Amino acid sequence: MPMTAIFSVKECRLCPRQCGVDRTKGETGVCGAGAEVRVAKSMLHKWEEPCISGTDPARGSGAVFFTHCSLGCIYCQNRSISRRNSEKGEIYSAEALADLFLDLQEQGAWNINLVSPTHYAPQIREAVKSAKEKGLVLPIVWNTGGYECAEVIENLGDTVDIFLTDWKYNDPKTAEAYSSAPDYPERIAKAYGAMYRVTGKTVIDENGMLKKGIILRHLLLPGCRRDSIAVLDKAASIVPPENVLLSLMRQYTPEFLPETAPKSLQRRITSFEYDSVTDHAANLGFAGYTQESTSATSDYTPEF
Ligand code: SF4
């Protein structure tokens, strides 16, 4: 498919939902995004992984949180901005977005961290290109839930330096139950290989900051220990574990669940669940980040 057709909101197929709607005519697909970019919040984010946020209290990751998301996970911590009917945030033209990136650079950001960018990929590419022409030198982070089309990822080489990607499930039934996306495991497996072809191995600079590469994030969910292990096995079969950083997250909290959520999700994960997945990751050769049990709180979720 020609690149112009891939990066189009006219017959939108930017994510695996493949809606085919014409967002320029006011039509919306599963994500609810229109033709124009909506930014819910921008900030110097202090709580991403240390190689993304750094440790200098005056600095942080230049996070830009986009409104809407194509996944719609039942346990989403950012539901006030991610849902299809959300109207939070302001409209940004590509030029205004470029200026926002430059403003974050001016404030001391280590990188530009695009949070849930997939449904705005064409506008973001244009904004990054323009910002670079105006002096942006920071690495660009594609911070994604992992529900991506490999052919879109494959063509982001001119835009993205770092993929900070979730890999949520290996089991299609769990992916359907919690994210209405039974094809998630198949899609992320293909996209993950594409991400590696774009960035190659991790490159860390003299300040300990990530310049290039992949951070593979996995949030453990209650009762899903075996699926977590299957995720790690699958990821390790696609990219050598030593060539990426793994971030194993234990911050799952049921606080954000709607009343209709399944009972299985209404608890935090246990130390047994977390420790056994951590051990498995180490045995596979992954290195990276783990979290304390005290991270399972809403305190680290930005307010929108
Ligand atoms: S980005 Fe939105 S409209 Fe486009 S295919 Fe995905 S869900 Fe559908």
Side-chain angles (χ1 to χ4, degrees):
M1 198 191 291
M3 210 194 286
T4 42
I6 293 172
F7 288 101
S8 170
V9 296
K10 244 182 143 349
E11 192 185 316
C12 187
R13 301 190 188 280
L14 287 167
C15 85
R17 300 287 184 197
Q18 297 288 294
C19 302
V21 293
D22 187 347
R23 288 166 49 185
T24 66
K25 293 205 171 125
E27 295 171 17
T28 51
V30 173
C31 64
E36 294 169 304
V37 171
R38 193 176 275 274
V39 173
K41 189 180 183 92
S42 64
M43 63 188 276
L44 288 183
H45 197 325
K46 320 276 186 193
W47 309 309
E48 302 281 34
E49 286 75 1
C51 68
I52 297 291
S53 280
T55 51
D56 180 342
R59 303 187 64 179
S61 174
V64 180
F65 292 86
F66 293 100
T67 308
H68 302 299
C69 176
S70 58
L71 254 185
C73 304
I74 195 166
Y75 48 83
C76 180
Q77 299 190 354
N78 295 343
R79 67 173 58 247
S80 69
I81 64 166
S82 65
R83 293 305 188 231
R84 74 179 314 277
N85 56 0
S86 176
E87 290 185 351
K88 289 243 171 156
E90 306 287 330
I91 300 288
Y92 276 67
S93 65
E95 273 318 298
L97 195 53
D99 290 342
L100 177 63
F101 299 159
L102 290 164
D103 184 48
L104 286 164
Q105 176 168 268
E106 192 72 17
Q107 288 179 47
W110 289 105
N111 43 55
I112 300 300
N113 180 356
L114 308 165
V115 186
S116 297
T118 312
H119 45 290
Y120 295 127
Q123 301 96 323
I124 288 172
R125 283 180 81 232
E126 200 183 327
V128 168
K129 183 167 181 285
S130 166
K132 282 182 177 171
E133 284 164 7
K134 293 185 197 168
L136 182 75
V137 293
L138 300 177
I140 306 294
V141 183
W142 195 259
N143 185 341
T144 167
Y147 195 44
E148 297 278 6
C149 292
E151 55 274 25
V152 172
I153 297 294
E154 207 90 58
N155 284 288
L156 286 173
D158 57 356
T159 307
V160 175
D161 303 287
I162 295 165
F163 288 101
L164 178 47
T165 182
D166 292 340
W167 188 323
K168 295 173 186 289
Y169 323 102
N170 192 57
D171 174 20
K173 287 201 180 97
T174 313
E176 179 162 31
Y178 295 164
S179 297
S180 310
D183 60 339
Y184 180 96
E186 178 196 326
R187 293 294 192 164
I188 177 66
K190 286 190 183 138
Y192 187 62
M195 289 175 194
Y196 187 63
R197 286 191 288 281
V198 169
T199 70
K201 294 182 187 182
T202 49
V203 177
I204 306 258
D205 74 5
E206 63 287 358
N207 297 309
M209 303 304 293
L210 189 60
K211 289 287 176 201
K212 247 186 174 325
I214 298 175
I215 299 182
L216 171 60
R217 267 185 179 166
H218 179 67
L219 173 72
L220 273 80
L221 295 171
C224 295
R225 186 181 68 90
R226 284 178 199 282
D227 199 46
S228 293
I229 286 172
V231 163
L232 296 179
D233 287 341
K234 186 75 181 182
S237 74
I238 296 170
V239 178
E242 61 274 19
N243 291 355
V244 303
L245 290 168
L246 176 68
S247 182
L248 268 183
M249 307 178 86
R250 72 180 300 172
Q251 68 187 49
Y252 173 76
T253 165
E255 283 169 61
F256 299 96
L257 288 179
E259 278 175 14
T260 50
K263 257 195 145 163
S264 52
L265 281 174
Q266 310 222 355
R267 67 165 172 88
R268 294 193 164 83
I269 64 161
T270 65
S271 292
F272 167 72
E273 286 172 318
Y274 191 67
D275 293 346
S276 68
V277 175
T278 309
D279 289 349
H280 191 77
N283 288 338
L284 287 170
F286 282 106
Y289 306 100
T290 53
Q291 285 184 322
E292 300 295 324
S293 57
T294 49
S295 61
T297 157
S298 57
D299 293 356
Y300 301 110
T301 305
E303 279 183 23
F304 297 103

